[in-house]
Amino acid sequence: MSIELRDTDVIWRNAKLATMNPAIKNTYSANVDGDSIDGLSNYGILEQHDLIVRDEKILAILPTGRVPANQCKIIDVEQRLITPGLIDCHTHLVFGGNRASEWEQRLNGVSYEEISAKGGGINSTVNATRNSSAQQLEIVSQKRLNALIAEGVTTIEMKSGYGLDLINEEKQLNVVRALAQKNPIEISPTLLSAHTVPPEYKYDPDAYIDLVCDSILPTLWQKQLFEAVDVFCETVGFNLKQTKRLFATAKRLNIPVKGHVEQLSNLGGSELVAEYQGLSVDHIEHLDEKGIEALSRSGTVAVLLPGAFYFLRETKRPPIALLRQYGVPMAISTDFNPGTSPFASLRLIMNMACVQFGLTPEEVWQGVTIHAARALGRADSHGQLAAGFMADFIVWDAQNPVDILYELGHNPLVYRVYHGEIMHRDHLNRLSELNYLNENSICDN
Ligand code: NIG
Ligand code: FE
């Protein structure tokens, strides 16, 4: 390959590159309980290679010194690990209030029904979100986002779904847009207006779906406020018929779909998502073989959310062995939300995916890189260290990918590179401080 490097190019040298590129096969082969894992069999490790960045993309990965460096900048990372930036493909990060006291009540023995009867649960977050200004929502969301950015997340999905009317869904998505404009992170916004039935439609959920399909969805799509449509298809959410109506509306506008499905029961939502060639099915603890078969045909990603499983003290695990058997790509995500997964740490969730769901560390890494990228429709541009992909990567003070999810409580991130822009961890800490000061100055007014 003949490449003439420019002065503005950057060479990352002396790294262990976990490329996550399926084309790069190492001798390592994973085996779990006697079953070999379909798909990738390694982290795509490369050593003695230069990772060369031009502008916001990876220009090439070549054996060290293959091309003359000319005047370009060389950063020696002294044998540290470089991985793709983490991708958190399922969050409800923008919301008002929190549900800590509700959780405390539950731990003191108050039943869920009693809490709900007093206006608790998802609708309490809807209330708090409706009663917050866009500015207030942005301040609280920024703090959550800082935590994820600081630990290496470079792409994140954020859902609406706590507004549940046109004005408040728009407000939530406008906050998502503001966060995307002000932060060094790529944000994929999702419309989740069909999250739960709002109180004013309690006795007529079909009329609420009409409102979503006829007004909220087309209006906010026209304003380019989201890139996919999600639904909570569940006995306590929306039924299959309502979900189908929503997906048909999305399809008419060519909008990709995904779904919170098979979390508490099996309604067949996964098959419906597959029928619409959806991006992902999320939660899926109650998914059955028929659903898995449908996913394997449609290429839909299975998104596993161990934070919600843990926080709700669920006992039924997602059907990991069958997902492996059918070669369904599995992604992992925080599902950050106030009710079921208040964890702004993807590294913690990666650890939980191993301990609670029995995934291998390698599967978990795929789950926050290539498969998460696919769940966000970004498989060709994100989630791998490869020529032509976005220069989104992390230099870790670590030797092996497993180190990142093994030892928690301190942050091994040294550099975070987002679209080619280099940030040292001290810079990230400084950013969090600035946001904190900003918040205090707003509170003083
Ligand atoms: O992904 N399953 C539905 N939605 C969220 C929980 C939302 C909430 O409780 O506020 C979830 O777990
Ligand atoms: Fe969720």
Side-chain angles (χ1 to χ4, degrees):
M1 191 190 285
S2 86
I3 295 176
E4 180 95 9
L5 294 189
R6 302 176 188 156
D7 295 357
T8 48
D9 294 342
V10 179
I11 298 180
W12 294 82
R13 185 162 281 176
N14 284 330
K16 182 179 211 174
L17 302 173
T19 65
M20 305 310 297
N21 179 347
I24 298 168
K25 300 279 177 215
N26 302 132
T27 46
Y28 177 85
S29 141
N31 213 280
V32 179
D33 297 338
D35 300 327
S36 67
I37 298 165
D38 274 346
L40 302 182
S41 63
N42 57 65
Y43 297 100
I45 300 280
L46 289 177
E47 291 180 89
Q48 308 300 325
H49 278 66
D50 285 341
L51 172 66
I52 306 171
V53 174
R54 173 169 296 168
D55 304 324
E56 80 281 3
K57 288 196 176 155
I58 296 170
L59 178 70
I61 298 178
L62 295 170
T64 299
R66 171 74 62 83
V67 286
N70 300 336
Q71 296 302 309
C72 80
K73 183 172 179 166
I74 300 177
I75 301 177
D76 184 340
V77 300
E78 299 168 335
Q79 312 303 327
R80 290 188 174 88
L81 172 73
I82 299 187
T83 69
L86 307 182
I87 301 176
D88 195 356
C89 65
H90 177 140
T91 84
H92 309 247
L93 190 122
V94 176
F95 58 84
N98 70 43
R99 308 234 286 276
S101 65
E102 193 178 295
W103 184 55
E104 185 163 8
Q105 284 177 53
R106 267 174 32 214
L107 292 170
N108 278 293
V110 184
S111 77
Y112 195 77
E113 287 71 25
E114 281 174 82
I115 292 169
S116 284
K118 284 193 217 136
I122 229 172
N123 271 319
S124 77
T125 302
V126 172
N127 256 331
T129 305
R130 286 177 172 180
N131 291 330
S132 300
S133 68
Q135 193 193 25
Q136 288 167 329
L137 286 176
E138 192 181 321
I139 290 166
V140 290
S141 305
Q142 181 66 58
K143 284 204 280 185
R144 301 165 189 147
L145 186 56
N146 287 343
L148 290 160
I149 287 176
E151 69 164 17
V153 175
T154 50
T155 303
I156 186 169
E157 188 252 22
M158 291 184 195
K159 303 175 194 296
S160 70
Y162 290 120
L164 308 185
D165 58 28
L166 180 58
I167 289 177
N168 288 293
E169 288 286 290
E170 181 165 359
K171 179 176 71 184
Q172 240 191 311
L173 290 172
N174 273 326
V175 172
V176 172
R177 178 179 276 176
L179 292 171
Q181 285 163 351
K182 294 178 188 173
N183 287 278
I185 189 164
E186 194 166 317
I187 301 185
S188 167
T190 297
L191 185 81
L192 178 59
S193 300
H195 192 190
T196 192
V197 180
E200 60 276 19
Y201 284 89
K202 191 173 169 190
Y203 299 105
D204 196 357
D206 284 333
Y208 178 63
I209 287 292
D210 288 343
L211 178 77
V212 174
C213 293
D214 300 339
S215 163
I216 302 178
L217 187 155
T219 308
L220 301 185
W221 179 246
Q222 227 228 329
K223 296 188 177 184
Q224 299 183 350
L225 279 170
F226 63 91
E227 53 183 59
V229 168
D230 197 350
V231 58
F232 187 23
C233 179
E234 191 52 71
T235 43
V236 295
F238 295 92
N239 63 31
L240 267 189
K241 197 166 160 232
Q242 291 158 340
T243 303
K244 199 164 183 157
R245 165 137 166 64
L246 178 73
F247 284 0
T249 307
K251 191 178 176 181
R252 273 197 293 281
L253 294 168
N254 247 328
I255 309 171
V257 299
K258 55 175 110 174
H260 287 68
V261 291
E262 270 72 89
Q263 180 185 8
L264 309 168
S265 62
N266 188 320
L267 293 191
S270 298
E271 282 163 71
L272 190 60
V273 174
E275 194 183 312
Y276 283 83
Q277 264 78 49
L279 289 168
S280 68
V281 291
D282 303 44
H283 287 290
I284 57 162
E285 278 84 346
H286 291 257
L287 180 62
D288 60 13
E289 187 159 2
K290 214 162 139 240
I292 295 177
E293 216 183 324
L295 297 177
S296 72
R297 281 195 304 269
S298 63
T300 302
V301 177
V303 179
L304 308 175
L305 306 169
F309 173 90
Y310 158 84
F311 200 66
L312 294 175
R313 293 181 170 160
E314 295 288 349
T315 50
K316 186 161 171 56
R317 294 183 165 70
I320 306 294
L322 271 181
L323 288 164
R324 281 181 187 139
Q325 190 185 312
Y326 280 86
V328 176
M330 292 182 278
I332 314 292
S333 170
T334 60
D335 189 18
F336 185 90
N337 78 72
T340 68
S341 193
F343 307 116
S345 170
L346 188 51
R347 288 179 56 223
L348 169 64
I349 298 297
M350 290 163 78
N351 181 294
M352 285 187 185
C354 290
V355 175
Q356 299 192 111
F357 290 172
L359 265 62
T360 65
E362 184 190 10
E363 286 175 313
V364 163
W365 267 104
Q366 290 160 6
V368 296
T369 55
I370 51 171
H371 296 162
R374 181 158 161 187
L376 297 181
R378 286 165 167 76
D380 298 330
S381 53
H382 293 67
Q384 289 182 47
L385 303 178
F389 277 61
M390 293 310 290
D392 291 353
F393 56 85
I394 309 298
V395 180
W396 304 99
D397 196 8
Q399 305 299 311
N400 294 301
V402 68
D403 299 345
I404 307 308
L405 47 144
Y406 163 67
E407 192 176 313
L408 303 177
H410 64 90
N411 191 353
L413 180 146
V414 182
Y415 287 105
R416 178 183 184 277
V417 180
Y418 169 72
H419 288 14
E421 191 194 331
I422 305 167
M423 289 174 102
H424 190 261
R425 68 171 149 218
D426 297 341
H427 186 187
L428 288 171
N429 292 340
R430 178 104 191 89
L431 268 189
S432 310
E433 273 168 39
L434 287 176
N435 281 313
Y436 180 71
L437 293 175
N438 192 17
E439 174 184 351
N440 283 346
S441 61
I442 288 169
C443 293
D444 287 346
N445 289 335

